[in-house]
Amino acid sequence: MFFGSSITSILATLLAVLLAITFHETAHGFAAYKLGDPTAKNQGRLTLNPLAHLDPVGALMMFIAGFGWAKPVPVNPFYFNGDRTKGMMLVSIAGPVTNLILSFTAYFIYAAGGGFGTVPFLNAFLTQTIVLNIYLAIFNLIPIPPLDGSKILAGFLPRAAAYKYLTTVEQYGFVILLVLIVFDITDMILVPAANLVLNLFSMILFSIF
């Protein structure tokens, strides 16, 4: 996770982590709000104040181990205007998509500034923001509860199958994820996928600059 052990690198990583989880969770809440659910707004979660979304243990794990979690934004699909299943899919995908937008934006700024080699903190912050947001987006798309990917996958399943999938797998979701992470199985998914996204971003920016 760190690009060295300097105070500059550590602070840059911390700021990148806070930015990533804050935008991720706010995006979930905002998407739900636009679909008619005021729950997140009523609980003060439609904010870019990281303290509203911070789970201390989850943030520490992301900071140290490269994976973690924030306080889940409360969503009540019964408020949704229209199809609740499609609504949950939109709310779920809003977080990862926002992370990818953040990553591309940071990459754009980094490329436009020529790498900011003379400004170590900005260089470290942008680099961490690029990489961390891509990994966070892809990790959350893994279809294992409680990750966003599980709700997206459930939206493609028949209602009965989706209910059984979510309620059955959710009991063991955290354990499954822990096993995948400990045995580096997630890296087999994350690393190639992240490299693919980075290459795509590089191609787009190369055409611009």
Side-chain angles (χ1 to χ4, degrees):
M1 172 67 73
F2 299 111
F3 294 99
S5 57
S6 69
I7 295 298
T8 296
S9 296
I10 293 173
L11 291 177
T13 301
L14 177 59
L15 182 60
V17 167
L18 292 176
L19 185 74
I21 62 176
T22 298
F23 272 81
H24 182 99
E25 295 302 328
T26 302
H28 284 316
F30 183 73
Y33 179 71
K34 296 301 287 184
L35 289 168
D37 177 18
T39 308
K41 183 178 185 296
N42 293 340
Q43 294 190 19
R45 299 297 300 277
L46 293 189
T47 175
L48 293 179
N49 178 359
L51 296 179
H53 308 287
L54 191 65
D55 181 298
V57 176
L60 184 63
M61 288 299 293
M62 188 181 295
F63 187 63
I64 295 174
F67 71 93
W69 56 89
K71 287 193 296 186
V73 166
V75 176
N76 187 344
F78 288 100
Y79 284 111
F80 288 171
N81 302 315
D83 190 296
R84 295 171 186 167
T85 299
K86 291 181 180 177
M88 279 306 301
M89 292 175 71
L90 290 172
V91 170
S92 299
I93 203 169
V97 167
T98 298
N99 287 126
L100 292 176
I101 292 172
L102 266 178
S103 177
F104 182 80
T105 302
Y107 205 164
F108 182 90
I109 296 171
Y110 182 87
F116 294 99
T118 60
V119 188
F121 178 81
L122 184 56
N123 181 71
F125 168 68
L126 289 173
T127 305
Q128 288 284 40
T129 299
I130 294 166
V131 175
L132 190 146
N133 275 281
I134 290 176
Y135 273 86
L136 184 61
I138 297 171
F139 181 76
N140 272 280
L141 289 174
I142 296 174
I144 298 175
L147 299 180
D148 299 324
S150 64
K151 300 178 184 67
I152 297 170
L153 174 61
F156 290 104
L157 299 175
R159 182 168 297 181
Y163 177 79
K164 185 174 183 180
Y165 162 68
L166 290 174
T167 54
T168 303
V169 180
E170 191 169 19
Q171 302 177 56
Y172 312 102
F174 185 79
V175 175
I176 295 171
L177 286 172
L178 190 60
V179 170
L180 294 177
I181 292 167
V182 168
F183 289 96
D184 294 327
I185 298 174
T186 49
D187 285 351
M188 298 178 187
I189 302 170
L190 296 179
V191 174
N195 287 336
L196 184 64
V197 174
L198 277 171
N199 288 336
L200 177 61
F201 285 176
S202 296
M203 289 172 59
I204 296 172
L205 291 173
F206 181 78
S207 66
I208 295 174
F209 294 104

